[in-house]
Amino acid sequence: MGNLAPHTMDTDAVCIGFGPAGIALSCVFEDAREEGGSLSTLDVRYLEAAEDTQWHRELLLSGTDINHHVFRDLVTPRNPRSRFSFAMYLKSQGRMFDFGLLGRPASRHEWSDYVGWVSRQVDRHTHFNAPVTEILPVIRDGRLCAVQVKTPDASFNTRNLVLSSGSAPRVPVEFQALLSPTLFHTSQFLTRLNALGDSLPKRWLVLGSGQSASESVLELIGRDRNIEVHSVHRSAGFKLTQLGQFPNRVFAPDHVDYFHSLNHAARHRFLDWSRSTNYAGIDPDESQKLFSLIYEDAIAGRKRLQTYAYQVVSQVEKTEDGYRVVLTDTFSQRTQTLDVDVIVLGTGYQQYLIPPLLSNLQPWLKADIDGGLVIDRDYNVATRGECDVSVWVNGLSERSHGISDSQSFSLMALRAERIAHALEHSLNTPIDAPLLTQ
Ligand SMILES: Cc1cc2nc3c(=O)[nH]c(=O)nc-3n(C[C@H](O)[C@H](O)[C@H](O)COP(=O)(O)OP(=O)(O)OC[C@H]3O[C@@H](n4cnc5c(N)ncnc54)[C@H](O)[C@@H]3O)c2cc1C
Protein backbone atom coordinates (compact mmCIF):
# COMPACT_ATOMS: atom_id res chain seq x y z
CA MET A 1 0.00 0.00 0.00
CA GLY A 2 1.16 3.56 -0.51
CA ASN A 3 0.22 6.98 -1.74
CA LEU A 4 -0.76 7.11 -5.41
CA ALA A 5 -1.00 10.88 -5.53
CA PRO A 6 -0.71 13.44 -2.71
CA HIS A 7 -4.18 12.79 -1.42
CA THR A 8 -5.11 9.42 -2.84
CA MET A 9 -4.37 6.20 -1.04
CA ASP A 10 -5.04 2.49 -1.48
CA THR A 11 -5.89 0.67 1.71
CA ASP A 12 -7.12 -2.77 2.82
CA ALA A 13 -10.19 -1.29 4.47
CA VAL A 14 -11.82 2.00 5.35
CA CYS A 15 -13.83 2.46 8.53
CA ILE A 16 -16.16 5.46 8.34
CA GLY A 17 -16.65 6.96 11.79
CA PHE A 18 -14.35 6.86 14.81
CA GLY A 19 -16.95 7.07 17.53
CA PRO A 20 -17.15 4.25 20.07
CA ALA A 21 -17.93 1.60 17.42
CA GLY A 22 -14.96 2.60 15.23
CA ILE A 23 -12.68 2.84 18.27
CA ALA A 24 -13.78 -0.61 19.47
CA LEU A 25 -12.80 -1.98 16.05
CA SER A 26 -9.41 -0.31 16.22
CA CYS A 27 -8.89 -1.86 19.68
CA VAL A 28 -9.28 -5.35 18.16
CA PHE A 29 -6.40 -4.67 15.77
CA GLU A 30 -4.30 -2.98 18.45
CA ASP A 31 -4.74 -5.94 20.82
CA ALA A 32 -3.82 -8.29 17.94
CA ARG A 33 -0.68 -6.25 17.26
CA GLU A 34 0.44 -6.64 20.85
CA GLU A 35 -0.24 -10.37 20.79
CA GLY A 36 1.29 -10.83 17.33
CA GLY A 37 -2.04 -12.11 15.99
CA SER A 38 -2.81 -12.44 12.29
CA LEU A 39 -5.14 -9.44 12.39
CA SER A 40 -2.18 -7.20 13.14
CA THR A 41 -1.11 -6.93 9.51
CA LEU A 42 -4.30 -5.38 8.12
CA ASP A 43 -4.12 -1.78 6.96
CA VAL A 44 -7.36 -0.10 8.06
CA ARG A 45 -7.91 3.65 7.78
CA TYR A 46 -10.47 5.37 10.00
CA LEU A 47 -12.17 8.53 8.80
CA GLU A 48 -13.82 10.73 11.41
CA ALA A 49 -15.82 13.88 10.70
CA ALA A 50 -15.15 15.50 14.08
CA GLU A 51 -11.89 17.14 15.09
CA ASP A 52 -11.36 14.85 18.08
CA THR A 53 -13.04 12.16 20.14
CA GLN A 54 -15.81 13.11 22.51
CA TRP A 55 -18.80 10.95 23.22
CA HIS A 56 -22.03 12.71 22.21
CA ARG A 57 -20.45 16.11 22.76
CA GLU A 58 -23.72 17.97 22.26
CA LEU A 59 -25.26 16.40 25.35
CA LEU A 60 -22.24 16.27 27.63
CA LEU A 61 -24.23 17.83 30.44
CA SER A 62 -23.48 17.78 34.12
CA GLY A 63 -25.72 15.48 36.12
CA THR A 64 -26.04 12.93 33.32
CA ASP A 65 -24.74 9.38 33.56
CA ILE A 66 -24.42 6.23 31.50
CA ASN A 67 -27.08 3.58 31.38
CA HIS A 68 -24.99 0.49 30.80
CA HIS A 69 -22.69 -1.46 33.11
CA VAL A 70 -19.05 -0.31 33.02
CA PHE A 71 -17.94 -3.84 32.08
CA ARG A 72 -19.66 -3.21 28.75
CA ASP A 73 -16.88 -0.92 27.67
CA LEU A 74 -14.97 -0.87 24.38
CA VAL A 75 -13.16 -4.16 24.99
CA THR A 76 -13.99 -6.16 28.13
CA PRO A 77 -16.75 -8.44 26.75
CA ARG A 78 -14.30 -9.42 23.99
CA ASN A 79 -11.07 -9.52 25.96
CA PRO A 80 -11.04 -8.71 29.67
CA ARG A 81 -7.21 -8.65 29.49
CA SER A 82 -7.14 -5.78 27.00
CA ARG A 83 -5.37 -2.66 28.23
CA PHE A 84 -8.19 -0.48 26.84
CA SER A 85 -10.76 -1.38 29.48
CA PHE A 86 -12.58 1.05 31.76
CA ALA A 87 -10.79 -0.59 34.68
CA MET A 88 -7.41 0.23 33.10
CA TYR A 89 -8.61 3.80 32.53
CA LEU A 90 -9.59 4.15 36.20
CA LYS A 91 -6.27 2.68 37.27
CA SER A 92 -4.33 5.08 35.03
CA GLN A 93 -6.27 8.05 36.43
CA GLY A 94 -5.83 6.96 40.06
CA ARG A 95 -9.58 6.70 40.65
CA MET A 96 -10.03 2.94 41.00
CA PHE A 97 -10.93 2.96 44.68
CA ASP A 98 -12.92 6.19 44.65
CA PHE A 99 -14.97 4.94 41.71
CA GLY A 100 -15.79 1.86 43.77
CA LEU A 101 -17.05 4.09 46.54
CA LEU A 102 -19.05 6.33 44.24
CA GLY A 103 -22.16 4.18 44.39
CA ARG A 104 -23.59 5.40 41.10
CA PRO A 105 -22.97 4.83 37.39
CA ALA A 106 -20.11 6.63 35.63
CA SER A 107 -21.11 10.10 34.54
CA ARG A 108 -21.35 10.86 30.85
CA HIS A 109 -18.36 13.19 31.26
CA GLU A 110 -16.29 10.37 32.72
CA TRP A 111 -17.38 7.94 30.02
CA SER A 112 -16.49 10.44 27.31
CA ASP A 113 -13.11 10.92 28.95
CA TYR A 114 -12.61 7.13 28.95
CA VAL A 115 -13.56 6.88 25.26
CA GLY A 116 -11.13 9.74 24.47
CA TRP A 117 -8.38 8.07 26.53
CA VAL A 118 -8.72 4.89 24.47
CA SER A 119 -9.04 6.80 21.22
CA ARG A 120 -5.71 8.57 21.73
CA GLN A 121 -3.97 5.21 22.10
CA VAL A 122 -5.44 3.59 18.99
CA ASP A 123 -5.83 6.48 16.55
CA ARG A 124 -2.57 6.08 14.61
CA HIS A 125 -4.53 5.36 11.43
CA THR A 126 -7.34 7.81 12.07
CA HIS A 127 -7.91 10.93 10.02
CA PHE A 128 -9.88 13.48 12.06
CA ASN A 129 -11.69 16.39 10.40
CA ALA A 130 -12.38 13.95 7.58
CA PRO A 131 -16.11 13.74 6.92
CA VAL A 132 -16.86 11.21 4.21
CA THR A 133 -18.89 13.03 1.62
CA GLU A 134 -19.32 10.33 -0.99
CA ILE A 135 -18.51 6.74 -1.83
CA LEU A 136 -17.98 6.27 -5.55
CA PRO A 137 -18.13 2.90 -7.30
CA VAL A 138 -15.09 1.96 -9.41
CA ILE A 139 -16.29 -0.26 -12.23
CA ARG A 140 -13.99 -2.23 -14.47
CA ASP A 141 -15.27 -4.55 -17.25
CA GLY A 142 -18.77 -4.28 -15.80
CA ARG A 143 -17.58 -5.33 -12.31
CA LEU A 144 -17.65 -3.28 -9.14
CA CYS A 145 -13.98 -3.81 -8.37
CA ALA A 146 -13.41 -1.15 -5.66
CA VAL A 147 -14.81 2.02 -4.16
CA GLN A 148 -13.38 5.48 -3.72
CA VAL A 149 -14.17 6.94 -0.34
CA LYS A 150 -14.08 10.73 -0.61
CA THR A 151 -13.41 13.32 2.06
CA PRO A 152 -12.88 17.03 1.29
CA ASP A 153 -9.07 16.54 1.38
CA ALA A 154 -8.42 12.99 0.34
CA SER A 155 -9.64 9.91 -1.44
CA PHE A 156 -9.19 6.28 -0.33
CA ASN A 157 -9.43 3.32 -2.68
CA THR A 158 -10.53 0.10 -1.05
CA ARG A 159 -12.55 -3.09 -1.43
CA ASN A 160 -13.62 -3.25 2.19
CA LEU A 161 -15.81 -0.74 3.96
CA VAL A 162 -16.93 -0.67 7.56
CA LEU A 163 -19.72 1.77 8.25
CA SER A 164 -19.39 2.97 11.87
CA SER A 165 -21.10 6.30 11.38
CA GLY A 166 -23.82 5.95 14.04
CA SER A 167 -27.53 6.60 13.84
CA ALA A 168 -28.97 9.74 12.25
CA PRO A 169 -31.00 12.40 14.12
CA ARG A 170 -34.72 11.97 13.49
CA VAL A 171 -36.26 15.29 12.43
CA PRO A 172 -40.05 15.05 11.89
CA VAL A 173 -41.00 16.18 8.42
CA GLU A 174 -43.02 19.23 9.55
CA PHE A 175 -39.84 20.75 11.02
CA GLN A 176 -37.36 19.92 8.30
CA ALA A 177 -37.73 23.12 6.26
CA LEU A 178 -37.64 25.26 9.41
CA LEU A 179 -34.35 24.03 10.94
CA SER A 180 -32.37 27.05 12.13
CA PRO A 181 -30.33 28.32 15.09
CA THR A 182 -33.62 28.59 17.02
CA LEU A 183 -35.19 25.31 15.85
CA PHE A 184 -32.85 22.37 16.19
CA HIS A 185 -32.42 18.71 17.13
CA THR A 186 -30.82 17.74 20.45
CA SER A 187 -27.82 16.43 18.46
CA GLN A 188 -26.87 20.14 18.19
CA PHE A 189 -27.99 21.13 21.67
CA LEU A 190 -24.88 22.66 23.27
CA THR A 191 -23.60 24.33 20.11
CA ARG A 192 -26.94 26.04 19.54
CA LEU A 193 -27.41 26.93 23.19
CA ASN A 194 -23.95 28.46 23.46
CA ALA A 195 -24.47 30.42 20.23
CA LEU A 196 -27.56 32.03 21.77
CA GLY A 197 -25.28 33.68 24.32
CA ASP A 198 -25.71 34.48 27.99
CA SER A 199 -29.14 35.97 27.81
CA LEU A 200 -31.24 33.07 26.58
CA PRO A 201 -34.68 33.52 24.98
CA LYS A 202 -37.52 32.98 27.45
CA ARG A 203 -40.08 30.70 25.79
CA TRP A 204 -38.93 27.21 24.82
CA LEU A 205 -40.74 24.20 23.43
CA VAL A 206 -39.06 20.82 23.86
CA LEU A 207 -40.61 18.00 21.88
CA GLY A 208 -40.16 14.39 23.00
CA SER A 209 -40.35 12.08 25.99
CA GLY A 210 -36.95 10.39 25.96
CA GLN A 211 -33.63 10.94 27.62
CA SER A 212 -32.38 13.72 25.33
CA ALA A 213 -35.61 15.68 25.73
CA SER A 214 -35.65 15.36 29.53
CA GLU A 215 -31.98 16.31 29.82
CA SER A 216 -32.53 19.36 27.60
CA VAL A 217 -35.46 20.48 29.77
CA LEU A 218 -33.43 20.18 32.99
CA GLU A 219 -30.43 21.93 31.46
CA LEU A 220 -32.51 24.87 30.21
CA ILE A 221 -34.26 25.39 33.51
CA GLY A 222 -30.98 25.03 35.39
CA ARG A 223 -29.29 27.66 33.21
CA ASP A 224 -31.71 30.53 33.60
CA ARG A 225 -34.46 30.89 36.18
CA ASN A 226 -36.58 33.03 33.82
CA ILE A 227 -36.93 30.34 31.20
CA GLU A 228 -40.32 28.69 30.60
CA VAL A 229 -40.29 25.27 29.00
CA HIS A 230 -43.27 23.74 27.25
CA SER A 231 -42.61 20.02 27.15
CA VAL A 232 -44.77 18.31 24.54
CA HIS A 233 -45.54 14.56 24.58
CA ARG A 234 -47.43 12.23 22.32
CA SER A 235 -48.00 9.97 25.35
CA ALA A 236 -48.78 10.73 29.00
CA GLY A 237 -45.41 12.40 29.53
CA PHE A 238 -41.93 11.27 30.49
CA LYS A 239 -42.05 7.57 31.16
CA LEU A 240 -39.52 5.23 32.72
CA THR A 241 -37.29 3.08 30.65
CA GLN A 242 -37.61 -0.68 31.22
CA LEU A 243 -35.15 -1.52 33.98
CA GLY A 244 -36.08 -5.11 34.83
CA GLN A 245 -33.27 -7.68 34.68
CA PHE A 246 -35.24 -10.12 32.57
CA PRO A 247 -36.30 -7.81 29.72
CA ASN A 248 -32.78 -6.35 29.71
CA ARG A 249 -31.40 -9.72 28.73
CA VAL A 250 -32.08 -8.51 25.18
CA PHE A 251 -28.67 -6.86 25.50
CA ALA A 252 -26.88 -10.22 25.80
CA PRO A 253 -25.17 -11.98 22.87
CA ASP A 254 -27.48 -15.02 22.82
CA HIS A 255 -30.41 -12.71 22.17
CA VAL A 256 -28.70 -11.42 19.08
CA ASP A 257 -28.35 -14.98 17.80
CA TYR A 258 -32.04 -15.50 18.57
CA PHE A 259 -33.12 -12.23 16.94
CA HIS A 260 -31.02 -12.84 13.86
CA SER A 261 -32.51 -16.31 13.42
CA LEU A 262 -36.08 -14.94 13.28
CA ASN A 263 -37.95 -14.34 10.06
CA HIS A 264 -38.62 -10.84 8.79
CA ALA A 265 -42.08 -10.35 10.37
CA ALA A 266 -40.99 -11.80 13.71
CA ARG A 267 -37.99 -9.45 13.85
CA HIS A 268 -40.35 -6.49 13.39
CA ARG A 269 -42.55 -7.72 16.25
CA PHE A 270 -39.59 -8.40 18.54
CA LEU A 271 -38.06 -5.00 17.87
CA ASP A 272 -41.32 -3.23 18.70
CA TRP A 273 -41.54 -5.13 21.96
CA SER A 274 -37.93 -4.47 22.97
CA ARG A 275 -37.98 -0.71 22.34
CA SER A 276 -39.03 0.04 25.91
CA THR A 277 -35.66 -1.24 27.15
CA ASN A 278 -33.83 1.62 25.51
CA TYR A 279 -35.86 4.19 23.64
CA ALA A 280 -38.11 7.04 24.71
CA GLY A 281 -37.73 6.42 28.40
CA ILE A 282 -35.87 8.06 31.25
CA ASP A 283 -34.29 6.95 34.52
CA PRO A 284 -36.29 7.04 37.78
CA ASP A 285 -34.02 9.75 39.24
CA GLU A 286 -34.62 12.00 36.26
CA SER A 287 -38.36 11.45 36.38
CA GLN A 288 -38.22 12.33 40.06
CA LYS A 289 -36.28 15.53 39.34
CA LEU A 290 -38.75 16.67 36.67
CA PHE A 291 -41.84 15.90 38.70
CA SER A 292 -40.39 17.52 41.84
CA LEU A 293 -39.53 20.63 39.89
CA ILE A 294 -43.15 21.07 38.79
CA TYR A 295 -44.36 20.31 42.31
CA GLU A 296 -42.00 22.71 44.09
CA ASP A 297 -42.75 25.44 41.56
CA ALA A 298 -46.46 25.05 42.34
CA ILE A 299 -45.68 25.74 46.01
CA ALA A 300 -43.61 28.77 45.06
CA GLY A 301 -46.36 30.01 42.71
CA ARG A 302 -44.40 29.76 39.47
CA LYS A 303 -44.45 27.56 36.38
CA ARG A 304 -41.10 27.00 34.70
CA LEU A 305 -42.06 23.64 33.23
CA GLN A 306 -45.40 22.78 31.72
CA THR A 307 -46.02 19.35 30.23
CA TYR A 308 -48.57 18.68 27.49
CA ALA A 309 -49.76 15.06 27.33
CA TYR A 310 -51.32 13.25 24.34
CA GLN A 311 -50.39 16.04 21.93
CA VAL A 312 -49.07 16.03 18.40
CA VAL A 313 -47.70 19.10 16.65
CA SER A 314 -50.20 19.56 13.85
CA GLN A 315 -48.83 22.85 12.55
CA VAL A 316 -45.74 24.97 13.02
CA GLU A 317 -44.92 28.29 11.43
CA LYS A 318 -42.21 30.90 11.76
CA THR A 319 -43.47 34.21 13.12
CA GLU A 320 -41.71 37.55 13.44
CA ASP A 321 -40.34 36.79 16.88
CA GLY A 322 -40.39 33.01 17.09
CA TYR A 323 -42.69 30.12 16.22
CA ARG A 324 -46.42 29.50 16.42
CA VAL A 325 -47.17 25.85 17.14
CA VAL A 326 -50.57 24.20 16.99
CA LEU A 327 -50.99 21.12 19.20
CA THR A 328 -53.77 18.62 18.61
CA ASP A 329 -54.93 16.29 21.35
CA THR A 330 -54.67 12.73 20.04
CA PHE A 331 -57.86 11.61 21.79
CA SER A 332 -60.20 14.61 21.88
CA GLN A 333 -58.83 16.28 18.72
CA ARG A 334 -59.03 19.65 20.52
CA THR A 335 -56.33 22.10 19.49
CA GLN A 336 -54.32 24.74 21.32
CA THR A 337 -51.72 27.23 20.14
CA LEU A 338 -48.37 28.04 21.69
CA ASP A 339 -46.05 30.93 20.83
CA VAL A 340 -42.42 30.17 21.61
CA ASP A 341 -38.96 31.58 20.86
CA VAL A 342 -37.03 28.35 20.41
CA ILE A 343 -37.95 24.75 19.56
CA VAL A 344 -35.76 21.80 20.58
CA LEU A 345 -36.45 18.47 18.90
CA GLY A 346 -35.79 15.63 21.33
CA THR A 347 -37.14 13.30 18.71
CA GLY A 348 -34.46 10.64 18.86
CA TYR A 349 -32.40 8.86 16.23
CA GLN A 350 -33.10 6.60 13.29
CA GLN A 351 -31.45 4.05 11.09
CA TYR A 352 -32.19 4.26 7.39
CA LEU A 353 -33.12 1.19 5.35
CA ILE A 354 -30.12 2.04 3.16
CA PRO A 355 -27.61 4.37 4.87
CA PRO A 356 -27.32 7.46 2.62
CA LEU A 357 -23.53 6.94 2.39
CA LEU A 358 -24.20 3.68 0.52
CA SER A 359 -26.65 5.16 -1.97
CA ASN A 360 -24.19 5.02 -4.91
CA LEU A 361 -23.66 1.31 -4.25
CA GLN A 362 -27.34 0.45 -4.27
CA PRO A 363 -27.29 -1.45 -7.59
CA TRP A 364 -24.96 -4.00 -5.93
CA LEU A 365 -26.78 -4.25 -2.59
CA LYS A 366 -29.37 -6.96 -2.01
CA ALA A 367 -32.59 -5.66 -0.48
CA ASP A 368 -35.11 -7.35 1.81
CA ILE A 369 -38.88 -6.98 1.38
CA ASP A 370 -38.83 -3.57 3.09
CA GLY A 371 -36.07 -2.40 0.76
CA GLY A 372 -33.47 -2.52 3.56
CA LEU A 373 -30.00 -4.04 3.66
CA VAL A 374 -29.64 -7.80 4.10
CA ILE A 375 -27.03 -8.29 6.83
CA ASP A 376 -25.49 -11.60 7.93
CA ARG A 377 -24.64 -12.53 11.53
CA ASP A 378 -21.10 -11.14 11.04
CA TYR A 379 -22.56 -7.78 9.98
CA ASN A 380 -21.61 -8.25 6.34
CA VAL A 381 -24.00 -6.65 3.86
CA ALA A 382 -25.24 -9.01 1.14
CA THR A 383 -24.32 -7.95 -2.38
CA ARG A 384 -25.45 -9.05 -5.79
CA GLY A 385 -24.08 -9.07 -9.33
CA GLU A 386 -20.45 -8.65 -10.23
CA CYS A 387 -18.99 -7.28 -7.04
CA ASP A 388 -15.58 -7.47 -5.34
CA VAL A 389 -16.49 -4.97 -2.62
CA SER A 390 -17.48 -6.00 0.91
CA VAL A 391 -19.39 -3.77 3.33
CA TRP A 392 -19.91 -4.25 7.06
CA VAL A 393 -22.22 -2.25 9.28
CA ASN A 394 -20.89 -1.53 12.74
CA GLY A 395 -23.81 -0.17 14.75
CA LEU A 396 -26.36 0.17 11.94
CA SER A 397 -27.92 -3.26 12.17
CA GLU A 398 -30.96 -2.77 14.36
CA ARG A 399 -33.31 -4.44 11.88
CA SER A 400 -31.18 -7.55 11.52
CA HIS A 401 -29.54 -7.87 14.96
CA GLY A 402 -31.98 -6.16 17.33
CA ILE A 403 -31.86 -3.32 19.75
CA SER A 404 -28.65 -4.27 21.56
CA ASP A 405 -26.59 -4.13 18.42
CA SER A 406 -27.36 -0.57 17.63
CA GLN A 407 -27.34 2.53 19.79
CA SER A 408 -25.80 0.74 22.75
CA PHE A 409 -22.42 -0.17 24.17
CA SER A 410 -23.59 -3.62 25.17
CA LEU A 411 -22.27 -5.64 22.27
CA MET A 412 -19.89 -3.17 20.68
CA ALA A 413 -16.73 -5.06 21.66
CA LEU A 414 -18.02 -8.45 20.49
CA ARG A 415 -19.39 -6.98 17.28
CA ALA A 416 -16.01 -5.38 16.52
CA GLU A 417 -14.34 -8.77 16.94
CA ARG A 418 -16.71 -10.46 14.50
CA ILE A 419 -16.23 -7.70 11.93
CA ALA A 420 -12.43 -7.77 12.27
CA HIS A 421 -12.30 -11.55 11.69
CA ALA A 422 -14.73 -11.36 8.77
CA LEU A 423 -12.62 -8.57 7.30
CA GLU A 424 -9.50 -10.67 7.62
CA HIS A 425 -11.25 -13.58 5.94
CA SER A 426 -12.35 -11.35 3.09
CA LEU A 427 -8.82 -10.02 2.59
CA ASN A 428 -7.45 -13.54 2.51
CA THR A 429 -9.82 -14.46 -0.29
CA PRO A 430 -7.83 -13.70 -3.43
CA ILE A 431 -9.26 -11.42 -6.10
CA ASP A 432 -7.41 -11.38 -9.41
CA ALA A 433 -7.90 -7.75 -10.38
CA PRO A 434 -5.49 -5.22 -8.87
CA LEU A 435 -6.98 -2.60 -6.57
CA LEU A 436 -5.00 0.21 -8.17
CA THR A 437 -7.68 2.25 -9.87
CA GLN A 438 -5.91 5.18 -11.43
C1 LIG B 1 -27.17 11.45 24.43
C2 LIG B 1 -26.95 9.99 24.26
C3 LIG B 1 -26.64 9.20 25.36
C4 LIG B 1 -26.42 7.84 25.20
N1 LIG B 1 -26.14 7.08 26.31
C5 LIG B 1 -25.88 5.78 26.17
C6 LIG B 1 -25.51 4.98 27.31
O1 LIG B 1 -25.46 5.48 28.43
N2 LIG B 1 -25.24 3.67 27.11
C7 LIG B 1 -25.31 3.09 25.88
O2 LIG B 1 -25.04 1.89 25.75
N3 LIG B 1 -25.65 3.82 24.79
C8 LIG B 1 -25.93 5.14 24.90
N4 LIG B 1 -26.27 5.88 23.81
C9 LIG B 1 -26.34 5.22 22.48
C10 LIG B 1 -25.11 5.55 21.61
O3 LIG B 1 -25.52 5.44 20.30
C11 LIG B 1 -23.93 4.63 21.85
O4 LIG B 1 -23.54 4.75 23.16
C12 LIG B 1 -22.65 4.95 21.02
O5 LIG B 1 -22.37 6.31 20.98
C13 LIG B 1 -22.75 4.40 19.62
O6 LIG B 1 -21.48 4.53 19.05
P1 LIG B 1 -21.27 4.63 17.49
O7 LIG B 1 -19.82 4.76 17.25
O8 LIG B 1 -22.01 3.52 16.83
O9 LIG B 1 -22.06 5.94 17.06
P2 LIG B 1 -21.73 7.46 17.41
O10 LIG B 1 -21.41 7.63 18.84
O11 LIG B 1 -22.87 8.23 16.85
O12 LIG B 1 -20.42 7.77 16.57
C14 LIG B 1 -20.44 7.83 15.16
C15 LIG B 1 -19.20 8.57 14.69
O13 LIG B 1 -19.17 8.60 13.28
C16 LIG B 1 -18.82 9.90 12.82
N5 LIG B 1 -19.40 10.09 11.49
C17 LIG B 1 -20.72 10.11 11.15
N6 LIG B 1 -20.84 10.31 9.82
C18 LIG B 1 -19.59 10.42 9.32
C19 LIG B 1 -19.07 10.64 8.01
N7 LIG B 1 -19.86 10.78 6.94
N8 LIG B 1 -17.72 10.69 7.86
C20 LIG B 1 -16.88 10.53 8.93
N9 LIG B 1 -17.33 10.35 10.18
C21 LIG B 1 -18.67 10.28 10.38
C22 LIG B 1 -19.43 10.83 13.88
O14 LIG B 1 -18.78 12.08 13.89
C23 LIG B 1 -19.20 10.03 15.17
O15 LIG B 1 -17.95 10.32 15.76
C24 LIG B 1 -26.51 7.24 23.92
C25 LIG B 1 -26.85 8.03 22.83
C26 LIG B 1 -27.08 9.39 23.00
C27 LIG B 1 -27.46 10.22 21.80
Side-chain angles (χ1 to χ4, degrees), residues 15-23 47-50 52 54-57 59 65-68 72 108 111 130-133 151 164-167 211-212 215 251 278 349 357 394-396 406-410 412 415:
C15 172
I16 302 173
F18 202 64
I23 297 168
L47 307 179
E48 169 53 50
D52 59 13
Q54 280 189 46
W55 180 50
H56 292 303
R57 70 190 68 225
L59 280 174
D65 54 26
I66 64 167
N67 43 35
H68 58 278
R72 298 179 189 184
R108 209 176 287 154
W111 198 255
V132 172
T133 49
T151 71
S164 309
S165 46
S167 300
Q211 200 181 341
S212 306
E215 288 172 2
F251 291 96
N278 197 5
Y349 289 80
L357 277 173
N394 186 14
L396 296 166
S406 61
Q407 308 207 33
S408 158
F409 268 86
S410 290
M412 212 176 259
R415 186 178 64 215

Side-chain angles (χ1 to χ4, degrees), residues 170-207:
R170 186 198 303 278
V171 176
V173 64
E174 58 272 30
F175 296 102
Q176 284 169 8
L178 292 171
L179 288 174
S180 77
T182 52
L183 195 163
F184 51 87
H185 187 266
T186 48
S187 57
Q188 300 183 311
F189 186 70
L190 281 177
T191 299
R192 294 298 191 200
L193 205 60
N194 294 337
L196 287 168
D198 287 339
S199 151
L200 290 174
K202 191 164 183 276
R203 303 166 303 167
W204 293 68
L205 186 150
V206 178
L207 185 62

Side-chain angles (χ1 to χ4, degrees), residues 36-50:
S38 55
L39 287 172
S40 60
T41 55
L42 304 192
D43 174 28
V44 185
R45 298 281 147 172
Y46 301 83
L47 307 179
E48 169 53 50

Side-chain angles (χ1 to χ4, degrees), residues 59-66 106-109 211 215 286:
L59 280 174
L60 269 184
L61 306 172
S62 55
T64 58
D65 54 26
I66 64 167
S107 69
R108 209 176 287 154
H109 275 289
Q211 200 181 341
E215 288 172 2
E286 228 162 321

